[in-house]
């Protein structure tokens, strides 16, 4: 099977007359596909995509940007090889590989921005896969909306053991989804262990599928996110490690984790490094003691080679020897350049000051004239008059500054006009509301008056009916029907 993957890649390269990439070929020999985007030429994408499509023998897939964010002196590739069309074809082939493969265990997409259409393709492949154990989308999704697009699929994948959403700009709102994921998997695991306890069997909790590690490094979840996660972890006995480096956590969030660890005996790794707001060292010592108590084996440890704690790489300084005369010459040149720059800056700022004074005076004159002409609107849209022609005013930088000032002033006046119109609309609406309230009060009073007028009339009709009835009984007695009247009274 090893040779089949390599041969498929070499055949695809030979079909277009291209030499195979040595780095990719070497990785394919170990059943791995490692794509470094910045190192791939435009013509090399076609055989890579063809090799990945419908592949059922690769065990690990890594797609990453070549230049890491902490390395500042490496020049980025100027060749636009990884276009949107190439990205879409790559995600389609990746989705087909996940659908048909039963041996792929690890998938890492690092610092590759994914849009909604590409996330949908990835979600389709994840929903059909039953073998993936590690999913890393470090820096590939941005914000809660993108996270929500892939979360519904990840939630149903009980085969995934380790989730890595580092540097994805997740907030406490995203932590609520992670908390629901933990609770739903906890309920599913309790159900599985309950089935094993039937007929007096002892369940093995290590064989139950589901998450074991969650990595959220570099996301500003804060203490609110910690509260959501700790609440969800109270009844969970399967998650072993949580990585929360540089997550804007303070002492309050650390205290929440300490309270949770006092009742939870399963977590052996809680990574709170690089959270500068945690000042209480005794609190961290207590957390470490709880973790050491829970640590049973070395299967889950702290992530080695902390990506967020690397110092920025700096170019090595040249150590060539310099003579004293060269040093003095260089110092004199630097002093002359500094004096020239100082005089240039002084002249430039003097001209800017003069132009600003002239501009303000002309601007005030324009406002007074416009106020006499237009009395309807309290807001005026104007433009800054061009400065007097001088050597400094002719520079392109100064004209750009004045153009930006004009745009900002015009935008401000437009917004003021819109605010004025909105205030007028609110006044009209408030007057309508007050009129309706007065009408409502009037109708209520009228209804109460009508009801009070009806009550005495009703009583009078009842009294007249009773008096007429008694008169009728008296007439019956006079006519000789007294026995009948007694029956009626009974």
């Amino acid at each position: 099977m090893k040779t089949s993957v390599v041969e498929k890649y070499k055949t695809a390269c030979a079909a277009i007359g291209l030499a195979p990439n040595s780095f990719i070929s070497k990785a394919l020999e170990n059943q791995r596909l490692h794509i470094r985007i910045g190192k791939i030429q435009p013509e090399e994408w076609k055989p890579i995509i063809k090799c990945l499509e419908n592949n059922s023998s690769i065990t690990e897939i890594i797609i990453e940007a070549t230049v890491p964010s902490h390395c500042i002196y490496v020049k980025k590739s100027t060749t636009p090889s990884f276009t949107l069309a190439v990205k879409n074809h790559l995600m389609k082939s990746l989705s087909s590989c996940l659908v048909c493969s039963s041996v792929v265990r690890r998938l890492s997409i690092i610092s590759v921005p994914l849009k909604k259409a590409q996330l949908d393709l990835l979600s389709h492949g994840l929903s059909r896969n039953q073998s993936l154990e590690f999913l890393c989308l470090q820096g590939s999704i941005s914000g809660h909306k993108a996270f929500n697009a892939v979360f519904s699929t990840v939630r149903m994948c009980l085969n995934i053991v380790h989730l890595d959403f580092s540097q994805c700009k997740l907030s406490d709102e995203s932590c609520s989804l992670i908390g629901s994921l933990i609770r739903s998997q906890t309920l599913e695991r309790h159900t599985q262990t309950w089935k094993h306890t039937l007929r007096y069997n002892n369940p093995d909790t290590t064989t139950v599928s589901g998450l074991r590690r969650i990595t959220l490094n570099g996301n500003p979840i804060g203490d609110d996110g910690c509260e959501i996660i700790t609440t969800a972890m109270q009844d969970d006995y399967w998650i072993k490690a949580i990585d929360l480096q540089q997550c804007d956590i303070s002492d309050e969030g650390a205290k929440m984790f300490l309270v949770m660890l006092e009742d939870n005996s399963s977590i052996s790794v809680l990574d709170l490094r690089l959270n500068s707001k945690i000042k209480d060292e005794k609190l961290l010592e207590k957390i470490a003691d709880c973790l050491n108590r829970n640590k049973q084996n070395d299967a889950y440890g702290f992530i080695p080679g902390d990506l967020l704690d690397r110092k920025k790489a700096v170019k090595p300084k040249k150590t060539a020897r310099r003579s004293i005369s060269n040093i003095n010459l260089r110092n004199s040149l630097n002093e002359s350049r500094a004096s020239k720059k100082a005089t240039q800056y002084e002249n430039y700022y003097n001209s800017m000051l003069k132009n600003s004074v002239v501009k303000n005076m002309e601007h005030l004159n324009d406002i007074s004239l416009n106020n006499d002409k237009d009395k309807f609107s309290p807001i005026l849209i104007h433009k800054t008059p061009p400065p007097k022609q001088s050597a400094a005013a002719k520079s392109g930088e100064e004209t750009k500054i004045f153009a930006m000032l004009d745009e900002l002033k015009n935008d401000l006046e437009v917004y003021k006009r819109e605010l004025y119109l909105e205030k007028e609309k609110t006044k009209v609406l408030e007057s309508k509301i007050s009129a309706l309230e007065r009408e409502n009060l009037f109708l209520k009073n009228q209804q109460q008056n009508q009801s009070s007028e009806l009550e005495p009339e009703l009583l009078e009709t009842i009294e007249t009916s009773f008096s007429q009835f008694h008169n009728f009984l008296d007439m019956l007695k006079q006519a000789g029907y007294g026995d009948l009247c007694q029956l009626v009274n009974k």
Side-chain angles (χ1 to χ4, degrees):
M1 295 297 292
K2 289 183 180 180
T3 57
S4 64
V5 184
V6 179
E7 289 297 327
K8 184 178 180 180
Y9 173 64
K10 290 182 178 180
T11 304
C13 291
I16 60 174
L18 187 69
N21 189 308
S22 59
F23 181 79
I24 292 177
S25 299
K26 188 175 180 180
L28 287 174
E29 290 177 358
N30 298 321
Q31 308 257 356
R32 297 171 62 250
L33 178 60
H34 192 171
I35 302 173
R36 297 184 296 181
I37 292 171
K39 301 291 184 180
I40 305 297
Q41 298 300 322
E43 61 273 9
E44 293 179 337
W45 280 111
K46 188 175 181 180
I48 293 173
I49 292 171
K50 191 172 182 180
C51 175
L52 180 61
E53 187 175 4
N54 296 324
N55 193 294
S56 59
S57 58
I58 296 176
T59 59
E60 183 178 4
I61 301 170
I62 303 173
I63 304 171
E64 64 175 344
T66 306
V67 181
S69 59
H70 63 275
C71 193
I72 59 174
Y73 62 86
V74 181
K75 293 183 179 179
K76 294 185 178 180
S77 177
T78 57
T79 306
S81 61
F82 196 60
T83 60
L84 181 61
V86 172
K87 188 187 291 187
N88 289 332
H89 286 300
L90 181 63
M91 295 307 296
K92 285 180 182 177
S93 61
L94 176 61
S95 179
S96 65
C97 177
L98 291 173
V99 169
C100 67
S101 177
S102 60
V103 296
V104 61
R105 296 286 184 269
R106 299 174 66 85
L107 173 61
S108 302
I109 304 175
I110 303 171
S111 301
V112 182
L114 299 177
K115 296 184 178 179
K116 187 178 184 303
Q118 296 145 9
L119 289 172
D120 291 340
L121 291 171
L122 177 63
S123 300
H124 175 71
L126 292 173
S127 62
R128 302 292 184 86
N129 186 272
Q130 299 295 328
S131 62
L132 193 68
E133 296 178 355
F134 173 72
L135 176 62
C136 174
L137 296 177
Q138 178 182 340
S140 297
I141 60 177
S142 180
H144 177 71
K145 187 179 290 186
F147 176 71
N148 195 15
V150 73
F151 171 76
S152 58
T153 304
V154 173
R155 183 175 182 176
M156 305 304 295
C157 297
L158 296 176
N159 49 289
I160 295 178
V161 177
H162 185 183
L163 277 177
D164 188 351
F165 287 105
S166 299
Q167 302 175 10
C168 291
K169 298 181 181 179
L170 304 183
S171 61
D172 54 350
E173 188 177 4
S174 305
C175 286
S176 61
L177 297 179
I178 295 172
S180 65
L181 168 65
I182 295 172
R183 285 190 292 269
S184 62
Q185 289 209 2
T186 301
L187 182 61
E188 181 66 26
R189 288 160 164 172
H190 278 299
T191 305
Q192 292 182 17
T193 53
W194 176 78
K195 289 180 181 178
H196 290 295
T197 56
L198 297 176
R199 297 183 180 179
Y200 305 100
N201 292 327
N202 292 323
D204 187 5
T205 57
T206 59
T207 60
V208 179
S209 60
L211 274 176
R212 294 293 190 274
R213 186 170 200 146
I214 301 174
T215 303
L216 300 174
N217 294 332
N219 292 302
I221 62 173
D223 295 334
D224 295 335
C226 293
E227 184 178 2
I228 296 170
I229 293 173
T230 53
T231 304
M233 287 291 299
Q234 287 179 353
D235 298 326
D236 187 90
Y237 302 101
W238 289 271
I239 292 180
K240 303 295 183 182
I242 301 176
D243 303 302
L244 296 171
Q245 299 179 27
Q246 200 174 357
C247 289
D248 198 23
I249 300 172
S250 66
D251 290 335
E252 293 182 3
K255 288 177 183 177
M256 295 176 191
F257 278 108
L258 179 60
V259 172
M260 183 265 294
L261 286 171
E262 289 176 353
D263 297 328
N264 189 304
S265 60
S266 63
I267 295 180
S268 59
V269 173
L270 178 61
D271 196 348
L272 297 176
R273 290 177 290 177
L274 301 178
N275 288 290
S276 58
K277 292 184 179 180
I278 300 178
K279 306 294 185 181
D280 194 350
E281 295 183 358
K282 293 183 178 179
L283 182 62
L284 294 176
E285 291 177 358
K286 291 180 181 178
I287 292 173
D289 293 338
C290 293
L291 295 175
N292 291 329
R293 179 199 65 194
N294 297 342
K295 198 167 186 177
Q296 298 175 356
N297 50 31
D298 295 329
Y300 297 93
F302 287 88
I303 296 176
D306 183 14
L307 295 176
L308 299 172
D309 199 17
R310 293 181 181 175
K311 296 182 179 179
K312 291 187 177 181
V314 183
K315 288 184 178 180
K317 295 183 178 180
K318 294 182 180 180
T319 58
R321 293 183 180 179
R322 297 175 183 175
S323 62
I324 297 174
S325 60
N326 288 337
I327 293 172
N328 293 331
L329 179 60
R330 186 178 295 277
N331 291 333
S332 62
L333 288 173
N334 290 333
E335 290 176 359
S336 63
R337 287 175 184 172
S339 62
K340 286 181 181 179
K341 284 185 178 180
T343 54
Q344 288 176 359
Y345 284 134
E346 186 176 0
N347 294 330
Y348 174 73
Y349 285 115
N350 287 332
S351 62
M352 286 284 291
L353 182 60
K354 291 178 182 178
N355 291 330
S356 62
V357 172
V358 172
K359 175 178 66 104
N360 291 330
M361 294 297 293
E362 294 178 355
H363 177 56
L364 291 172
N365 294 329
D366 291 340
I367 289 174
S368 62
L369 292 173
N370 289 327
N371 284 331
D372 294 334
K373 291 179 181 179
D374 191 3
K375 295 183 179 179
F376 173 74
S377 175
I379 299 164
L380 299 172
I381 298 175
H382 55 82
K383 287 189 176 181
T384 305
K388 294 182 179 180
Q389 292 186 355
S390 61
K394 292 181 181 179
S395 63
E397 184 177 0
E398 189 174 354
T399 55
K400 288 181 181 179
I401 293 171
F402 282 113
M404 291 172 64
L405 287 173
D406 289 335
E407 291 178 359
L408 291 172
K409 288 179 180 179
N410 291 333
D411 291 339
L412 178 61
E413 299 300 337
V414 171
Y415 292 144
K416 286 183 178 179
R417 178 66 179 174
E418 291 177 355
L419 180 62
Y420 176 77
L421 294 175
E422 290 293 329
K423 286 183 179 179
E424 293 295 328
K425 290 180 181 179
T426 53
K427 287 181 181 178
V428 174
L429 291 173
E430 286 175 357
S431 63
K432 288 183 179 180
I433 290 169
S434 61
L436 290 172
E437 287 177 351
R438 288 195 298 272
E439 186 178 358
N440 188 19
L441 182 62
F442 174 75
L443 291 173
K444 283 183 179 179
N445 293 331
Q446 189 176 7
Q447 186 179 4
Q448 290 177 0
N449 293 331
Q450 288 178 357
S451 62
S452 62
E453 290 175 359
L454 288 173
E455 287 177 359
E457 294 179 356
L458 183 61
L459 292 173
E460 289 178 358
T461 54
I462 293 170
E463 287 177 357
T464 53
S465 62
F466 271 109
S467 63
Q468 290 176 1
F469 180 72
H470 284 293
N471 292 331
F472 175 72
L473 292 177
D474 293 335
M475 291 173 64
L476 288 175
K477 287 180 181 179
Q478 292 176 3
Y481 294 98
D483 297 333
L484 183 60
C485 292
Q486 290 178 359
L487 291 173
V488 171
N489 289 327
K490 289 180 181 180

